[in-house]
Amino acid sequence: MKYIYIILFLIFGALVLFNFRFLNIHMLSIYSIDEYAYHGSLINMYDGLINFDLRKFFSFGFYSYGFIFFLFNLILTAPFIYSDNIEMVIYLPRILNSLFAVGSLLIIYKICKIYIKESSSILIVIFTITMPGFWKNSLWFHPDWMMTFFVI
């Protein structure tokens, strides 16, 4: 049982280190226009919250991803938006996404452990970690892992 926590801790540590790329807002607009647009939505929601403008607060533009996704990220980044620390505004949503990815791995492990042996459950988690989609979707500000976490 303790091996899975060691594996998940190492994966989260790797994700924390890998998320240190493209923390400049201008470089982010070149690297990932989606992530850049999501940060624009967070700043728009923050302005609506500070100015008590409900229309601006709820006009984040990405309704298919849900309000809760942006609200979680706004709560996490609001102090850094206030202090104009843009690097942390870019970094923290990635870390939140990485937490949901690691949490999803833990849930996958616990579900597999119900039906098969513990060693086989750990192999399934390792197999999931080796998929490129795990890393791609864990390293950017996007709701894929949060949605997966809540679905499973």
Short mmCIF file of all heavy atoms in Angstrom, two decimals, residues 30-82:
data_model
loop_
_atom_site.label_atom_id
_atom_site.label_comp_id
_atom_site.label_asym_id
_atom_site.label_seq_id
_atom_site.Cartn_x
_atom_site.Cartn_y
_atom_site.Cartn_z
N ILE A 30 2.40 32.56 -26.96
CA ILE A 30 3.01 31.89 -28.12
C ILE A 30 2.94 30.38 -27.96
O ILE A 30 2.64 29.65 -28.90
CB ILE A 30 4.48 32.35 -28.29
CG1 ILE A 30 4.53 33.84 -28.60
CG2 ILE A 30 5.18 31.55 -29.37
CD1 ILE A 30 5.92 34.44 -28.52
N TYR A 31 3.18 29.90 -26.75
CA TYR A 31 3.24 28.46 -26.48
C TYR A 31 1.85 27.81 -26.52
O TYR A 31 1.66 26.78 -27.14
CB TYR A 31 3.91 28.22 -25.13
CG TYR A 31 3.80 26.81 -24.63
CD1 TYR A 31 4.50 25.78 -25.25
CD2 TYR A 31 2.99 26.50 -23.56
CE1 TYR A 31 4.40 24.48 -24.80
CE2 TYR A 31 2.89 25.21 -23.10
CZ TYR A 31 3.59 24.20 -23.73
OH TYR A 31 3.48 22.92 -23.29
N SER A 32 0.88 28.39 -25.83
CA SER A 32 -0.44 27.78 -25.73
C SER A 32 -1.50 28.86 -25.68
O SER A 32 -1.73 29.49 -24.64
CB SER A 32 -0.52 26.91 -24.47
OG SER A 32 -1.83 26.45 -24.28
N ILE A 33 -2.17 29.07 -26.78
CA ILE A 33 -3.19 30.12 -26.85
C ILE A 33 -4.39 29.77 -25.97
O ILE A 33 -5.04 30.65 -25.43
CB ILE A 33 -3.60 30.41 -28.31
CG1 ILE A 33 -4.38 31.71 -28.42
CG2 ILE A 33 -4.39 29.27 -28.88
CD1 ILE A 33 -3.55 32.93 -28.16
N ASP A 34 -4.68 28.47 -25.80
CA ASP A 34 -5.77 28.06 -24.92
C ASP A 34 -5.50 28.47 -23.48
O ASP A 34 -6.36 29.05 -22.81
CB ASP A 34 -5.99 26.55 -24.97
CG ASP A 34 -6.63 26.08 -26.25
OD1 ASP A 34 -7.17 26.93 -26.98
OD2 ASP A 34 -6.57 24.87 -26.52
N GLU A 35 -4.31 28.16 -23.00
CA GLU A 35 -3.96 28.49 -21.63
C GLU A 35 -3.95 30.02 -21.43
O GLU A 35 -4.39 30.52 -20.40
CB GLU A 35 -2.58 27.91 -21.32
CG GLU A 35 -2.36 27.59 -19.89
CD GLU A 35 -1.08 26.80 -19.65
OE1 GLU A 35 -0.43 26.35 -20.60
OE2 GLU A 35 -0.74 26.67 -18.48
N TYR A 36 -3.49 30.73 -22.42
CA TYR A 36 -3.49 32.19 -22.37
C TYR A 36 -4.91 32.73 -22.27
O TYR A 36 -5.19 33.63 -21.48
CB TYR A 36 -2.78 32.73 -23.62
CG TYR A 36 -2.70 34.22 -23.71
CD1 TYR A 36 -1.81 34.92 -22.90
CD2 TYR A 36 -3.51 34.93 -24.59
CE1 TYR A 36 -1.73 36.31 -22.99
CE2 TYR A 36 -3.43 36.30 -24.68
CZ TYR A 36 -2.55 36.99 -23.87
OH TYR A 36 -2.47 38.35 -23.95
N ALA A 37 -5.82 32.15 -23.04
CA ALA A 37 -7.22 32.59 -23.00
C ALA A 37 -7.87 32.26 -21.66
O ALA A 37 -8.68 33.05 -21.15
CB ALA A 37 -8.00 31.93 -24.13
N TYR A 38 -7.53 31.12 -21.06
CA TYR A 38 -8.09 30.77 -19.75
C TYR A 38 -7.63 31.75 -18.69
O TYR A 38 -8.40 32.10 -17.79
CB TYR A 38 -7.71 29.35 -19.34
CG TYR A 38 -8.25 28.28 -20.24
CD1 TYR A 38 -7.62 27.06 -20.35
CD2 TYR A 38 -9.40 28.46 -20.99
CE1 TYR A 38 -8.10 26.06 -21.16
CE2 TYR A 38 -9.89 27.48 -21.81
CZ TYR A 38 -9.24 26.28 -21.90
OH TYR A 38 -9.73 25.30 -22.71
N HIS A 39 -6.39 32.20 -18.78
CA HIS A 39 -5.90 33.19 -17.82
C HIS A 39 -6.60 34.52 -18.02
O HIS A 39 -6.88 35.23 -17.05
CB HIS A 39 -4.39 33.35 -17.91
CG HIS A 39 -3.67 32.19 -17.34
ND1 HIS A 39 -3.66 31.91 -15.99
CD2 HIS A 39 -2.95 31.21 -17.91
CE1 HIS A 39 -2.96 30.82 -15.77
NE2 HIS A 39 -2.52 30.37 -16.93
N GLY A 40 -6.91 34.85 -19.26
CA GLY A 40 -7.71 36.04 -19.51
C GLY A 40 -9.09 35.94 -18.88
O GLY A 40 -9.61 36.92 -18.34
N SER A 41 -9.67 34.76 -18.91
CA SER A 41 -10.97 34.55 -18.26
C SER A 41 -10.87 34.70 -16.75
O SER A 41 -11.77 35.26 -16.12
CB SER A 41 -11.51 33.16 -18.61
OG SER A 41 -11.77 33.05 -19.99
N LEU A 42 -9.80 34.18 -16.15
CA LEU A 42 -9.60 34.34 -14.71
C LEU A 42 -9.48 35.81 -14.33
O LEU A 42 -10.07 36.26 -13.34
CB LEU A 42 -8.36 33.60 -14.24
CG LEU A 42 -8.45 32.10 -14.09
CD1 LEU A 42 -7.12 31.54 -13.62
CD2 LEU A 42 -9.54 31.71 -13.14
N ILE A 43 -8.73 36.56 -15.09
CA ILE A 43 -8.55 37.98 -14.80
C ILE A 43 -9.87 38.73 -14.99
O ILE A 43 -10.21 39.61 -14.20
CB ILE A 43 -7.41 38.56 -15.65
CG1 ILE A 43 -6.08 37.95 -15.18
CG2 ILE A 43 -7.37 40.07 -15.59
CD1 ILE A 43 -4.90 38.23 -16.05
N ASN A 44 -10.63 38.34 -15.99
CA ASN A 44 -11.95 38.95 -16.22
C ASN A 44 -12.89 38.65 -15.05
O ASN A 44 -13.61 39.53 -14.58
CB ASN A 44 -12.54 38.43 -17.53
CG ASN A 44 -13.76 39.18 -17.96
OD1 ASN A 44 -13.87 40.37 -17.71
ND2 ASN A 44 -14.67 38.49 -18.61
N MET A 45 -12.89 37.40 -14.57
CA MET A 45 -13.72 37.04 -13.43
C MET A 45 -13.28 37.80 -12.17
O MET A 45 -14.10 38.24 -11.38
CB MET A 45 -13.66 35.54 -13.17
CG MET A 45 -14.40 34.70 -14.19
SD MET A 45 -14.19 32.94 -13.90
CE MET A 45 -15.15 32.72 -12.42
N TYR A 46 -11.97 37.96 -12.00
CA TYR A 46 -11.46 38.70 -10.84
C TYR A 46 -11.90 40.16 -10.90
O TYR A 46 -12.33 40.72 -9.88
CB TYR A 46 -9.93 38.60 -10.81
CG TYR A 46 -9.32 39.36 -9.66
CD1 TYR A 46 -9.30 38.80 -8.39
CD2 TYR A 46 -8.76 40.61 -9.85
CE1 TYR A 46 -8.75 39.49 -7.32
CE2 TYR A 46 -8.20 41.30 -8.80
CZ TYR A 46 -8.20 40.74 -7.53
OH TYR A 46 -7.65 41.43 -6.49
N ASP A 47 -11.82 40.76 -12.07
CA ASP A 47 -12.28 42.15 -12.22
C ASP A 47 -13.77 42.27 -11.90
O ASP A 47 -14.20 43.24 -11.26
CB ASP A 47 -12.01 42.67 -13.63
CG ASP A 47 -10.55 42.96 -13.87
OD1 ASP A 47 -9.80 43.12 -12.87
OD2 ASP A 47 -10.14 43.03 -15.04
N GLY A 48 -14.55 41.30 -12.35
CA GLY A 48 -15.98 41.31 -12.03
C GLY A 48 -16.25 41.15 -10.55
O GLY A 48 -17.17 41.76 -10.00
N LEU A 49 -15.44 40.35 -9.88
CA LEU A 49 -15.59 40.15 -8.44
C LEU A 49 -15.22 41.41 -7.66
O LEU A 49 -15.94 41.82 -6.75
CB LEU A 49 -14.72 38.97 -7.99
CG LEU A 49 -14.78 38.56 -6.53
CD1 LEU A 49 -16.15 37.97 -6.22
CD2 LEU A 49 -13.70 37.54 -6.23
N ILE A 50 -14.13 42.02 -8.03
CA ILE A 50 -13.66 43.23 -7.33
C ILE A 50 -14.61 44.41 -7.56
O ILE A 50 -14.88 45.19 -6.65
CB ILE A 50 -12.23 43.58 -7.78
CG1 ILE A 50 -11.26 42.49 -7.35
CG2 ILE A 50 -11.78 44.93 -7.25
CD1 ILE A 50 -11.21 42.24 -5.86
N ASN A 51 -15.13 44.52 -8.77
CA ASN A 51 -16.01 45.65 -9.12
C ASN A 51 -17.49 45.36 -8.89
O ASN A 51 -18.33 46.17 -9.27
CB ASN A 51 -15.78 46.06 -10.57
CG ASN A 51 -14.37 46.55 -10.80
OD1 ASN A 51 -13.81 47.22 -9.94
ND2 ASN A 51 -13.80 46.22 -11.94
N PHE A 52 -17.81 44.20 -8.32
CA PHE A 52 -19.20 43.78 -8.07
C PHE A 52 -20.04 43.81 -9.35
O PHE A 52 -21.19 44.24 -9.33
CB PHE A 52 -19.85 44.64 -6.98
CG PHE A 52 -19.13 44.56 -5.67
CD1 PHE A 52 -18.43 45.66 -5.19
CD2 PHE A 52 -19.15 43.40 -4.93
CE1 PHE A 52 -17.75 45.59 -3.99
CE2 PHE A 52 -18.48 43.32 -3.73
CZ PHE A 52 -17.78 44.42 -3.26
N ASP A 53 -19.45 43.37 -10.44
CA ASP A 53 -20.13 43.32 -11.73
C ASP A 53 -20.43 41.86 -12.06
O ASP A 53 -19.55 41.12 -12.50
CB ASP A 53 -19.24 43.95 -12.80
CG ASP A 53 -19.92 44.07 -14.16
OD1 ASP A 53 -21.09 43.66 -14.27
OD2 ASP A 53 -19.27 44.56 -15.09
N LEU A 54 -21.67 41.43 -11.81
CA LEU A 54 -22.03 40.02 -12.02
C LEU A 54 -21.92 39.60 -13.47
O LEU A 54 -21.56 38.47 -13.77
CB LEU A 54 -23.45 39.76 -11.51
CG LEU A 54 -23.60 39.74 -10.00
CD1 LEU A 54 -25.06 39.52 -9.62
CD2 LEU A 54 -22.74 38.67 -9.38
N ARG A 55 -22.24 40.51 -14.37
CA ARG A 55 -22.16 40.17 -15.79
C ARG A 55 -20.71 39.85 -16.19
O ARG A 55 -20.45 38.89 -16.90
CB ARG A 55 -22.69 41.31 -16.64
CG ARG A 55 -22.79 40.93 -18.09
CD ARG A 55 -23.48 41.95 -18.97
NE ARG A 55 -23.96 43.12 -18.29
CZ ARG A 55 -23.91 44.34 -18.78
NH1 ARG A 55 -23.39 44.55 -19.97
NH2 ARG A 55 -24.38 45.37 -18.12
N LYS A 56 -19.79 40.65 -15.71
CA LYS A 56 -18.38 40.42 -16.02
C LYS A 56 -17.86 39.17 -15.29
O LYS A 56 -17.04 38.43 -15.83
CB LYS A 56 -17.56 41.64 -15.62
CG LYS A 56 -16.19 41.67 -16.22
CD LYS A 56 -15.54 43.01 -15.97
CE LYS A 56 -14.23 43.08 -16.73
NZ LYS A 56 -13.56 44.35 -16.52
N PHE A 57 -18.35 38.93 -14.06
CA PHE A 57 -17.92 37.77 -13.29
C PHE A 57 -18.32 36.46 -13.97
O PHE A 57 -17.57 35.49 -13.97
CB PHE A 57 -18.50 37.84 -11.88
CG PHE A 57 -18.09 36.71 -10.99
CD1 PHE A 57 -16.78 36.60 -10.55
CD2 PHE A 57 -19.00 35.76 -10.58
CE1 PHE A 57 -16.39 35.56 -9.72
CE2 PHE A 57 -18.61 34.73 -9.75
CZ PHE A 57 -17.31 34.62 -9.32
N PHE A 58 -19.51 36.43 -14.55
CA PHE A 58 -20.00 35.20 -15.18
C PHE A 58 -19.75 35.15 -16.68
O PHE A 58 -20.19 34.21 -17.34
CB PHE A 58 -21.49 35.01 -14.90
CG PHE A 58 -21.77 34.61 -13.49
CD1 PHE A 58 -22.29 35.52 -12.59
CD2 PHE A 58 -21.51 33.32 -13.06
CE1 PHE A 58 -22.55 35.15 -11.28
CE2 PHE A 58 -21.75 32.94 -11.76
CZ PHE A 58 -22.27 33.87 -10.86
N SER A 59 -19.05 36.10 -17.24
CA SER A 59 -18.79 36.08 -18.69
C SER A 59 -17.38 35.59 -18.97
O SER A 59 -16.56 36.29 -19.54
CB SER A 59 -19.00 37.47 -19.28
OG SER A 59 -18.04 38.36 -18.76
N PHE A 60 -17.11 34.36 -18.57
CA PHE A 60 -15.77 33.82 -18.78
C PHE A 60 -15.62 33.15 -20.12
O PHE A 60 -14.53 32.83 -20.52
CB PHE A 60 -15.37 32.87 -17.65
CG PHE A 60 -16.35 31.79 -17.35
CD1 PHE A 60 -16.28 30.58 -17.99
CD2 PHE A 60 -17.34 32.00 -16.41
CE1 PHE A 60 -17.17 29.59 -17.71
CE2 PHE A 60 -18.24 31.00 -16.11
CZ PHE A 60 -18.16 29.80 -16.77
N GLY A 61 -16.69 32.89 -20.84
CA GLY A 61 -16.60 32.46 -22.23
C GLY A 61 -16.41 30.98 -22.49
O GLY A 61 -16.59 30.54 -23.62
N PHE A 62 -16.06 30.20 -21.52
CA PHE A 62 -15.83 28.78 -21.74
C PHE A 62 -16.83 27.97 -20.92
O PHE A 62 -16.49 27.24 -20.01
CB PHE A 62 -14.39 28.40 -21.34
CG PHE A 62 -13.35 29.10 -22.15
CD1 PHE A 62 -12.72 30.22 -21.65
CD2 PHE A 62 -13.02 28.65 -23.42
CE1 PHE A 62 -11.75 30.88 -22.40
CE2 PHE A 62 -12.06 29.30 -24.16
CZ PHE A 62 -11.43 30.42 -23.66
N TYR A 63 -18.09 28.12 -21.26
CA TYR A 63 -19.15 27.49 -20.47
C TYR A 63 -19.13 25.97 -20.56
O TYR A 63 -19.62 25.29 -19.67
CB TYR A 63 -20.52 28.02 -20.90
CG TYR A 63 -20.73 29.44 -20.48
CD1 TYR A 63 -20.67 30.48 -21.40
CD2 TYR A 63 -20.97 29.75 -19.15
CE1 TYR A 63 -20.85 31.79 -21.00
CE2 TYR A 63 -21.14 31.05 -18.73
CZ TYR A 63 -21.08 32.07 -19.67
OH TYR A 63 -21.25 33.35 -19.27
N SER A 64 -18.55 25.42 -21.60
CA SER A 64 -18.51 23.96 -21.72
C SER A 64 -17.61 23.33 -20.65
O SER A 64 -17.75 22.16 -20.33
CB SER A 64 -18.04 23.54 -23.11
OG SER A 64 -16.74 24.02 -23.35
N TYR A 65 -16.69 24.10 -20.09
CA TYR A 65 -15.82 23.58 -19.04
C TYR A 65 -16.41 23.79 -17.66
O TYR A 65 -15.91 23.23 -16.70
CB TYR A 65 -14.44 24.22 -19.11
CG TYR A 65 -13.74 23.92 -20.40
CD1 TYR A 65 -13.09 24.89 -21.11
CD2 TYR A 65 -13.74 22.63 -20.93
CE1 TYR A 65 -12.45 24.61 -22.30
CE2 TYR A 65 -13.11 22.34 -22.11
CZ TYR A 65 -12.47 23.34 -22.78
OH TYR A 65 -11.84 23.05 -23.95
N GLY A 66 -17.39 24.61 -17.54
CA GLY A 66 -18.09 24.79 -16.28
C GLY A 66 -17.56 25.92 -15.43
O GLY A 66 -16.37 26.26 -15.46
N PHE A 67 -18.47 26.50 -14.68
CA PHE A 67 -18.14 27.61 -13.81
C PHE A 67 -17.26 27.17 -12.64
O PHE A 67 -16.37 27.90 -12.21
CB PHE A 67 -19.44 28.25 -13.29
CG PHE A 67 -19.22 29.36 -12.32
CD1 PHE A 67 -18.74 30.59 -12.74
CD2 PHE A 67 -19.48 29.17 -10.98
CE1 PHE A 67 -18.53 31.61 -11.84
CE2 PHE A 67 -19.27 30.18 -10.07
CZ PHE A 67 -18.80 31.40 -10.51
N ILE A 68 -17.49 25.97 -12.12
CA ILE A 68 -16.76 25.49 -10.95
C ILE A 68 -15.25 25.38 -11.25
O ILE A 68 -14.43 25.71 -10.39
CB ILE A 68 -17.32 24.13 -10.47
CG1 ILE A 68 -18.77 24.28 -10.05
CG2 ILE A 68 -16.49 23.55 -9.35
CD1 ILE A 68 -18.99 25.21 -8.88
N PHE A 69 -14.91 24.96 -12.45
CA PHE A 69 -13.51 24.87 -12.84
C PHE A 69 -12.82 26.22 -12.71
O PHE A 69 -11.76 26.35 -12.11
CB PHE A 69 -13.39 24.34 -14.27
CG PHE A 69 -12.02 24.44 -14.86
CD1 PHE A 69 -11.00 23.64 -14.40
CD2 PHE A 69 -11.76 25.34 -15.88
CE1 PHE A 69 -9.73 23.74 -14.95
CE2 PHE A 69 -10.51 25.44 -16.44
CZ PHE A 69 -9.48 24.64 -15.96
N PHE A 70 -13.44 27.24 -13.26
CA PHE A 70 -12.85 28.57 -13.20
C PHE A 70 -12.93 29.16 -11.79
O PHE A 70 -12.05 29.90 -11.37
CB PHE A 70 -13.51 29.49 -14.22
CG PHE A 70 -13.07 29.20 -15.62
CD1 PHE A 70 -13.87 28.48 -16.48
CD2 PHE A 70 -11.85 29.63 -16.07
CE1 PHE A 70 -13.46 28.19 -17.76
CE2 PHE A 70 -11.42 29.35 -17.36
CZ PHE A 70 -12.23 28.64 -18.20
N LEU A 71 -13.97 28.82 -11.03
CA LEU A 71 -14.09 29.31 -9.66
C LEU A 71 -12.99 28.73 -8.78
O LEU A 71 -12.37 29.45 -7.98
CB LEU A 71 -15.46 28.99 -9.08
CG LEU A 71 -15.74 29.56 -7.70
CD1 LEU A 71 -15.72 31.09 -7.73
CD2 LEU A 71 -17.08 29.06 -7.19
N PHE A 72 -12.70 27.42 -8.89
CA PHE A 72 -11.59 26.81 -8.15
C PHE A 72 -10.29 27.54 -8.44
O PHE A 72 -9.52 27.87 -7.54
CB PHE A 72 -11.42 25.34 -8.52
CG PHE A 72 -12.33 24.40 -7.83
CD1 PHE A 72 -12.46 23.10 -8.30
CD2 PHE A 72 -13.08 24.75 -6.73
CE1 PHE A 72 -13.29 22.19 -7.69
CE2 PHE A 72 -13.92 23.86 -6.09
CZ PHE A 72 -14.03 22.58 -6.57
N ASN A 73 -10.04 27.77 -9.70
CA ASN A 73 -8.79 28.42 -10.10
C ASN A 73 -8.76 29.89 -9.69
O ASN A 73 -7.71 30.41 -9.33
CB ASN A 73 -8.57 28.27 -11.60
CG ASN A 73 -8.18 26.87 -11.96
OD1 ASN A 73 -7.10 26.42 -11.59
ND2 ASN A 73 -9.03 26.16 -12.66
N LEU A 74 -9.91 30.56 -9.70
CA LEU A 74 -9.95 31.95 -9.26
C LEU A 74 -9.67 32.06 -7.77
O LEU A 74 -8.91 32.93 -7.34
CB LEU A 74 -11.31 32.57 -9.58
CG LEU A 74 -11.49 34.02 -9.14
CD1 LEU A 74 -10.53 34.92 -9.89
CD2 LEU A 74 -12.92 34.46 -9.35
N ILE A 75 -10.24 31.16 -6.97
CA ILE A 75 -9.98 31.17 -5.53
C ILE A 75 -8.50 30.95 -5.27
O ILE A 75 -7.91 31.59 -4.39
CB ILE A 75 -10.85 30.10 -4.83
CG1 ILE A 75 -12.32 30.51 -4.86
CG2 ILE A 75 -10.39 29.86 -3.41
CD1 ILE A 75 -13.27 29.41 -4.46
N LEU A 76 -7.89 30.07 -6.02
CA LEU A 76 -6.47 29.75 -5.84
C LEU A 76 -5.57 30.91 -6.25
O LEU A 76 -4.55 31.17 -5.61
CB LEU A 76 -6.13 28.49 -6.64
CG LEU A 76 -4.78 27.87 -6.46
CD1 LEU A 76 -4.64 27.34 -5.03
CD2 LEU A 76 -4.59 26.74 -7.45
N THR A 77 -5.94 31.60 -7.31
CA THR A 77 -5.04 32.62 -7.86
C THR A 77 -5.39 34.06 -7.50
O THR A 77 -4.61 34.95 -7.81
CB THR A 77 -5.01 32.51 -9.40
OG1 THR A 77 -6.33 32.71 -9.91
CG2 THR A 77 -4.46 31.18 -9.85
N ALA A 78 -6.51 34.30 -6.85
CA ALA A 78 -6.94 35.67 -6.57
C ALA A 78 -5.90 36.50 -5.80
O ALA A 78 -5.68 37.66 -6.15
CB ALA A 78 -8.28 35.67 -5.83
N PRO A 79 -5.24 35.95 -4.77
CA PRO A 79 -4.23 36.78 -4.09
C PRO A 79 -3.07 37.18 -5.01
O PRO A 79 -2.51 38.27 -4.87
CB PRO A 79 -3.71 35.89 -2.96
CG PRO A 79 -4.72 34.82 -2.79
CD PRO A 79 -5.41 34.67 -4.10
N PHE A 80 -2.75 36.33 -5.95
CA PHE A 80 -1.64 36.62 -6.85
C PHE A 80 -2.06 37.55 -7.98
O PHE A 80 -1.23 38.30 -8.50
CB PHE A 80 -1.04 35.32 -7.37
CG PHE A 80 -0.52 34.45 -6.27
CD1 PHE A 80 -1.22 33.35 -5.85
CD2 PHE A 80 0.66 34.78 -5.62
CE1 PHE A 80 -0.76 32.56 -4.82
CE2 PHE A 80 1.14 34.00 -4.59
CZ PHE A 80 0.43 32.89 -4.17
N ILE A 81 -3.32 37.50 -8.37
CA ILE A 81 -3.82 38.48 -9.34
C ILE A 81 -3.81 39.86 -8.69
O ILE A 81 -3.40 40.84 -9.31
CB ILE A 81 -5.23 38.11 -9.84
CG1 ILE A 81 -5.20 36.80 -10.63
CG2 ILE A 81 -5.80 39.22 -10.71
CD1 ILE A 81 -6.58 36.27 -11.00
N TYR A 82 -4.22 39.91 -7.43
CA TYR A 82 -4.22 41.18 -6.70
C TYR A 82 -2.81 41.77 -6.58
O TYR A 82 -2.63 42.98 -6.73
CB TYR A 82 -4.82 40.96 -5.30
CG TYR A 82 -4.77 42.19 -4.44
CD1 TYR A 82 -5.64 43.26 -4.67
CD2 TYR A 82 -3.85 42.29 -3.41
CE1 TYR A 82 -5.59 44.39 -3.87
CE2 TYR A 82 -3.79 43.42 -2.61
CZ TYR A 82 -4.66 44.46 -2.85
OH TYR A 82 -4.61 45.58 -2.07
#
